[in-house]
Amino acid sequence: MQVMSEEGELRRLLEVVSDKGLKALSVAELDLLRTLLAAKDYGANKKAERSKKKLLRQINAEIYNKYSPRRFL
């Protein structure tokens, strides 16, 4: 049952990102998405693995931006 809830949560977060972008998620949700996505194994699907790595980079950048936003003088 735990696997289904994690799968459902991952799907929900990915749908939010797809519809509204990463900025719509809180830092806690971004961290959860990063954890769930990193645990997901796409095996032989190279295109999905590349997309996963790209999204993980974007999530890390968004978490960094939320913790230390850029200040323009």
Side-chain angles (χ1 to χ4, degrees):
M1 195 63 163
Q2 181 70 13
V3 173
M4 289 301 288
S5 66
E6 288 179 357
E7 194 72 28
E9 187 66 17
L10 177 60
R11 175 169 283 146
R12 183 190 71 80
L13 290 171
L14 287 174
E15 286 175 0
V16 170
V17 170
S18 175
D19 293 342
K20 300 176 185 174
L22 288 172
K23 294 189 185 304
L25 297 177
S26 69
V27 174
E29 288 174 320
L30 285 169
D31 191 43
L32 177 62
L33 177 59
R34 179 176 56 182
T35 303
L36 293 174
L37 195 58
K40 182 79 172 168
D41 183 28
Y42 288 103
N45 191 342
K46 291 182 181 182
K47 187 174 182 179
E49 192 65 31
R50 280 195 309 268
S51 295
K52 171 184 153 181
K53 288 179 182 179
K54 180 180 176 184
L55 183 56
L56 284 172
R57 283 193 303 268
Q58 292 172 342
I59 291 168
N60 287 334
E62 186 62 30
I63 289 173
Y64 176 79
N65 287 339
K66 287 188 184 239
Y67 272 123
S68 58
R70 296 186 182 110
R71 307 273 186 221
F72 296 107
L73 300 177

